Amino acid sequence: MTTRIDTRFAELKKQGRSAFVTYVMAGDPDLRTSLDIVKALPKAGADVIELGIPFTDPMADGPSIQAAGLRALKGGMTLKKTLELVRAFRKDDDVTPLVLMGYYNPIYIYGVDKFLADAKTAGVDGLIIVDLPPEEDDELCIPALKAGLNFIRLATPTTDDKRLPAVLANTSGFVYYVSIAGITGAAAADANAVGEAVARIKRHTSLPICVGFGIRTPEAARAIAQKADGSVVGTALVDALKNSLDAEGRATAKTVNAVAELTAALAQGVKGAKQAAE
Amino acid sequence: MTIAKPNSYRSGPDERGHFGIFGGRFVAETLMPLILDLEQAYTAAKADPAFQAEMNGYLKNYVGRPSPLYFAERLTEHLGGAKIYLKREELNHTGSHKVNNVLGQIMLARRMGKKRIIAETGAGQHGVATATLCARFGLECVVYMGAVDVERQQPNVIRMEMLGAKVVPVQSGTRTLKDAMNEALRDWVTNVHNTFYCIGTVAGPHPYPTLVRDFQSIIGNETKAQMQEVEGRLPDSLVACIGGGSNAMGLFHPFLDDPTVEIFGVEAAGHGLTQLHAASIAGGRPGVLHGNRTYLLMDADGQIQDAHSISAGLDYPGIGPEHSWLHEIGRVNYLSATDDEALAAFQLLSKLEGIIPALEPAHAIAKVMELAPKRSKDHLMVVNLSGRGDKDVPQVGDILRGNSK
């Protein structure tokens, strides 16, 4: 199977550049604004979109993304509405890869088979489910692959060479390398250490490797783009969104632009980077 | 769906940490290598007689075990039915059953060369036990506690600080135990290389539910021997309160394959099961949180709901996965007691037996007040008195004087 993710990374490889992957929370701060933001991301230079599924207890995320999830939930966001958002986005954009990122419980409660069918129909290309390690592949990973969705696994600094094959076994689309042992939005990633880790993972797989956690600025995104097949930015975009809200946490006229402008600046950083030699 | 009865209720979990559909390992990849290391270290420790011998030494001379099995004569007379025995876990060093498990985990941490210990706590009993053993073995200790619980459990916060632990009030979410657990997991993800996460109950990713159960099973093993000595036979029923369920699992587990023993777990019904409560089995359904699949309180969209109990130690929207399995398979009867019932039991035990229980086991006593009168006079009932009430005295005092609710 070839998904939008595979197609996009093949194109980028031809162009000799690294991908810029953006993360925003679905429904933050409300469904309408969130849809406008997601629509604005490809125009501002995002190559791949990660869309967060709001969850009350995001244990691998930092305060910014946790707060974004709670804002979305307060605004009435659900997994069902997250899929509606994807469907609405697909009306105008049939090429930008879109990956849902979140935790397992909302999907488990929705029902795995129904979720996979609905996600595929809505236009989702892949899943990143933080709390499903390869040890729990039967839950969602294997059914997702059968349903034609990519299942993107996280590899981390604690994933050693012995464990990497297990982590990569059922991974598809790309590998998400978590650049630091920590939560989202924490300490900055060290580009050299990331370069070594990417090289190490590349010895085990031919999949593209995108790097996230700790990338906040165009310079940092550029440094990572020189070492990896993609850089992921989430917390910085979520913070830009938050800073545009009014005192009650509602969207303002500035909100969509605040995210789009930072996306454009970060995309410039990534696109200015020369691809590191393999 | 009917579930086939197993040959033994004590053989679980399977090698992947599953009790039926419950349990498992639902954590971020960063933590997986650590959890696999822990499992290996635990398997090795279990097979090492030196580990057991060292632990037995501390259990006897530091914790003060065995804890007595006390015949509650006045409570028995008052209720007019079953003969009620209290397993006196509140007499342990640090004032609750929590110390049994913490001792085991700290000994494991030392074997693994970890110098920094983190823990989460609700009522503070697990935090106090962890701070105590960290002091004893010279380890750095950080305890995460919901900001709401920091307020209502001041005596334990002060104790932890006196013992040298850093208590971190958690301001996120509902600011109670569930959020403290999220923060502890975040700390662990960030400090994986030098940190051991000492989980306080029979929940979390495999192997925690198993190892905590094993360390707490000393409660049931002693009860079995003590009852044999006093009455010459097994008890007829067991009763224990359940938040995550570690004191209950410790008492129950050694008796699971004794079919004549009736077993009752008591959840916190808070303001009542149709209102705010913490009864995950009575009011929840299976879901995935904090590393395991188990009964959880949640909304239709799988979002975790706030739990409520008068007792900070029971105020958690989940329950250990083995309890979920024992419920579905029908081996243990799960009941619930409200805040008001627990308060009444708290006062009754204090006045009749001169024992002020923690609000957690007061929930178990509340159900004993219902169950015991319906049983015959030769029925032997054991209640796990999992902790003493010193920490709850200010809170209960305020309630009884009408200053708060």
Side-chain angles (χ1 to χ4, degrees), chain B residues 99-268:
Chain B
V99 70
N100 306 324
N101 161 51
V102 172
L103 174 66
Q105 288 197 48
I106 295 295
M107 307 257 309
L108 265 181
R110 293 177 75 223
R111 270 176 85 98
M112 296 173 78
K114 306 282 184 183
K115 306 275 188 230
R116 181 175 181 269
I117 309 295
I118 57 168
E120 86 295 330
T121 196
Q125 291 303 89
H126 175 60
V128 166
T130 306
T132 298
L133 284 154
C134 285
R136 168 61 188 80
F137 291 106
L139 300 165
E140 184 188 345
C141 181
V142 178
V143 180
Y144 290 93
M145 191 167 180
V148 169
D149 294 337
V150 168
E151 279 303 308
R152 62 179 168 175
Q153 299 288 339
Q154 270 301 312
N156 273 343
V157 174
I158 296 165
R159 283 166 84 193
M160 285 184 270
E161 287 172 349
M162 282 177 176
L163 291 160
K166 185 179 166 201
V167 179
V168 182
V170 175
Q171 301 290 354
S172 60
T174 53
R175 302 187 295 151
T176 58
L177 181 56
K178 137 182 120 77
D179 309 288
M181 196 151 181
N182 288 332
E183 272 323 301
L185 282 163
R186 289 181 180 128
D187 179 314
W188 201 23
V189 170
T190 309
N191 299 291
V192 275
H193 295 293
N194 66 343
T195 298
F196 185 99
Y197 181 16
C198 184
I199 291 188
T201 193
V202 285
H206 177 65
Y208 281 103
T210 308
L211 69 88
V212 176
R213 172 197 78 195
D214 293 352
F215 291 138
Q216 291 294 3
S217 288
I218 192 166
I219 302 171
N221 287 328
E222 281 179 9
T223 300
K224 223 171 193 179
Q226 287 166 324
M227 194 56 106
Q228 206 55 257
E229 199 182 309
V230 196
E231 296 277 358
R233 65 183 181 92
L234 291 175
D236 299 298
S237 60
L238 307 172
V239 188
C241 67
I242 297 192
S246 71
N247 90 83
M249 194 53 73
L251 175 65
F252 298 169
H253 201 258
F255 291 97
L256 290 177
D257 285 342
D258 297 311
T260 60
V261 182
E262 272 186 294
I263 306 181
F264 300 95
V266 184
E267 298 189 295

Side-chain angles (χ1 to χ4, degrees), chain A residues 54-59 61 66 73 78-79 104-106 108-109 130-136 138-139 154 156 158-159 163 167 181-183, chain B residues 16 18 21 24-30 32-33 36 172 178 182 185-186 189-190 192 285-290 293 298 300-304:
Chain A
F55 184 49
T56 39
D57 294 80
M59 60 198 180
D61 284 301
Q66 179 174 27
L73 290 172
T78 61
L79 180 52
Y104 184 40
N105 198 52
Y108 179 65
I109 296 307
V130 180
D131 54 354
L132 285 179
E135 281 74 4
E136 303 291 350
D138 295 345
E139 295 283 337
L154 305 181
T156 72
T158 59
T159 314
R163 186 169 167 75
V167 168
I183 52 177
Chain B
R16 291 164 62 210
H18 294 146
I21 67 159
R25 279 186 283 226
F26 297 89
V27 294
E29 172 60 23
T30 312
M32 273 312 295
L36 296 172
S172 60
K178 137 182 120 77
N182 288 332
L185 282 163
R186 289 181 180 128
V189 170
T190 309
V192 275
R285 60 210 161 101
V288 175
L289 181 72
H290 292 153
R293 179 175 7 237
M298 57 186 149
D301 195 41
Q303 305 296 338
I304 307 305

